[in-house]
Amino acid sequence: MDQEDRIALFLDYENLALGARDHRGGADFDFRPIADALAERGRVVVRRAYADWSYFDEDRRMLTRSHVELIEIPQRMGASRKNAADIKMAVDAIELAFERDYISTFVICSGDSDFTPLVHKLRELNKRVIGVGVEGSTSALLPPACDEFLYYDRLEGVDIPPPRSQQARPTRPVGANQRPPEPEPEVDRRPAGEEPGRDVDTLAVLVAQTVAGLQGSANGEVTASRLKRTLLRKDPTFSESDYGFRTFSELLRHLAERTVVELAEGPAKGDPEVSLPEHGDREVAFGLLRGVVADLGSGGNPVALSGLKNQVRRARPDFSEKKLGYRSFLQFCKAAATAGVLDLRWSPEADDYLLTTQS
């Protein structure tokens, strides 16, 4: 138990409940998926929800059954009532951060950007911060400030909202001076709640770039757990389930089968070491580059870097230096030059890098 994270949960309940109602087809807010997601991350020792509970009578019963402490915010008018809840919640969180050293993680359930300074202060106090918000009502400023951000809509157990039934409009006869009704615009016919699948190739690029950056930092081996933490720092909303994988290990095995990464036994069971392939695809890509430069610069003529990538893609349409862990095509060419595949130099006259194959 001593190794578990101790979690303090703070819910800006009005923001969550109204966000779920307004952006999820009127669906009721359910606390259980949030509780289940946090149970996977540690031991929740504090649960507090802030609202004027006269507006949420049924919700109050649901939260009480989940052992959430209800903080009553007296009814005021308009924005002043909202600000009172926000201020009370922020003050309580900071007070708890100073008084309870054993609490390592704070969960701020709100999509309101007003809580961004609170998130920054908690992280300054060496606390991990997880945000939770309804996707349609979450400010773009809040997720990047957190260590991890969970969209309520994507949590396991959240029901897919029912499609809004299209109400039939009353029809009137079209008179001589009346224009026929405009045709209805085409709408997405996917089932409600179904999102287009995320591009696994884009994910492969992100993982390869991240592994390359971690390897370049020379801070020891890159383990799967370290890689996952880094991906969450880059994008707190990252989740392998959005790409169709049940676990992060399953995602890594898929990328290993595609030779995007290599997996080896790590320092702990179930936490493999992740690296970029040293051979195989990278050597093939270097050979491809050399062949294109040789064809374009027949007779030993130098080839300009500008436009070279397009020529490489003509020879191999699926080429991407980012899948190999390089941030740019220039970085890829520099690596090829370092490996002795070709020569690369800057030409002030051409105002460009020039490549030649080595004799």
Side-chain angles (χ1 to χ4, degrees):
M1 183 180 293
D2 291 338
Q3 302 301 319
E4 291 181 322
D5 280 343
R6 264 65 166 195
I7 299 174
L9 171 64
F10 292 85
L11 296 100
D12 177 11
Y13 196 77
E14 183 171 344
N15 180 277
L16 288 177
L18 296 184
R21 185 192 68 187
D22 296 342
H23 297 276
R24 304 194 71 252
D28 292 333
F29 174 78
D30 185 6
F31 174 72
R32 176 51 53 186
I34 294 179
D36 291 343
L38 297 182
E40 298 170 355
R41 289 161 171 79
R43 181 177 172 222
V44 181
V45 296
V46 175
R47 301 183 182 192
R48 296 179 185 174
Y50 299 75
D52 183 346
W53 296 108
S54 62
Y55 290 95
F56 304 102
D57 191 51
E58 291 298 324
D59 304 61
R60 179 169 53 187
R61 296 187 180 91
M62 177 261 296
L63 292 171
T64 301
R65 287 194 295 268
S66 297
H67 310 288
V68 177
E69 180 183 1
L70 307 182
I71 308 299
E72 179 73 37
I73 303 299
Q75 183 175 6
R76 294 190 176 92
M77 297 297 295
S80 62
R81 175 168 55 85
K82 172 186 176 299
N83 291 338
D86 292 356
I87 292 171
K88 173 64 173 170
M89 183 168 148
V91 169
D92 286 357
I94 291 297
E95 182 180 38
L96 209 63
F98 280 103
E99 291 185 350
R100 305 287 189 271
D101 290 339
Y102 56 83
I103 295 179
S104 57
T105 301
F106 282 74
V107 179
I108 307 299
C109 293
S110 177
D112 194 340
S113 62
D114 290 347
F115 286 106
T116 304
L118 170 63
V119 172
H120 289 317
K121 178 56 66 174
L122 289 171
R123 295 185 67 183
E124 183 181 323
L125 295 172
N126 198 30
K127 305 297 184 182
R128 185 167 186 262
V129 181
I130 300 175
V132 181
V134 177
E135 192 161 7
S137 62
T138 294
S139 167
L141 298 176
L142 188 59
C146 301
D147 293 293
E148 182 179 4
F149 196 91
L150 306 175
Y151 284 118
Y152 169 77
D153 319 59
R154 305 179 190 175
L155 294 179
E156 184 71 26
V158 175
D159 293 331
I160 297 175
R164 294 185 177 181
S165 58
Q166 297 181 350
Q167 298 181 353
R169 297 180 180 179
T171 58
R172 294 181 299 177
V174 179
N177 297 325
Q178 288 181 309
R179 298 172 59 188
E182 295 290 334
E184 292 288 337
E186 290 189 10
V187 297
D188 192 345
R189 299 300 181 186
R190 286 192 304 267
E194 180 179 319
E195 297 182 357
R198 298 201 174 193
D199 188 0
V200 179
D201 286 338
T202 302
L203 175 62
V205 169
L206 174 63
V207 171
Q209 286 181 329
T210 304
V211 173
L214 291 173
Q215 286 181 331
S217 65
N219 288 330
E221 67 274 350
V222 180
T223 61
S225 58
R226 183 184 176 196
L227 175 60
K228 176 70 178 287
R229 289 194 300 268
T230 306
L231 290 172
L232 284 171
R233 284 197 291 268
K234 287 185 173 184
D235 178 10
T237 69
F238 169 80
S239 173
E240 60 275 2
S241 62
D242 291 337
Y243 298 88
F245 299 98
R246 293 171 297 176
T247 64
F248 191 63
S249 297
E250 183 179 315
L251 163 63
L252 291 179
R253 288 194 297 270
H254 173 78
L255 296 180
E257 290 172 359
R258 297 178 55 186
T259 66
V260 176
V261 298
E262 289 183 347
L263 302 179
E265 185 176 351
K269 185 178 180 180
D271 192 15
E273 183 177 347
V274 186
S275 61
L276 294 176
E278 293 296 333
H279 304 287
D281 278 4
R282 190 170 304 192
E283 289 189 348
V284 171
F286 285 166
L288 172 67
L289 177 63
R290 176 183 170 84
V292 171
V293 171
D295 290 342
L296 294 175
S298 57
N301 295 321
V303 177
L305 179 68
S306 301
L308 179 58
K309 183 175 179 179
N310 291 333
Q311 298 297 327
V312 172
R313 281 185 167 170
R314 286 184 181 180
R316 183 176 169 182
D318 64 340
F319 169 80
S320 172
E321 73 280 357
K322 292 182 173 62
K323 288 184 180 179
L324 301 170
Y326 299 106
R327 298 180 184 276
S328 67
F329 186 67
L330 173 59
Q331 188 183 41
F332 168 70
C333 291
K334 287 181 175 179
T338 301
V341 175
L342 42 72
D343 287 324
L344 175 71
R345 63 180 178 85
W346 172 259
S347 171
E349 294 80 10
D351 194 26
D352 200 351
Y353 283 96
L354 298 180
L355 297 89
T356 54
T357 57
Q358 294 181 342
S359 55

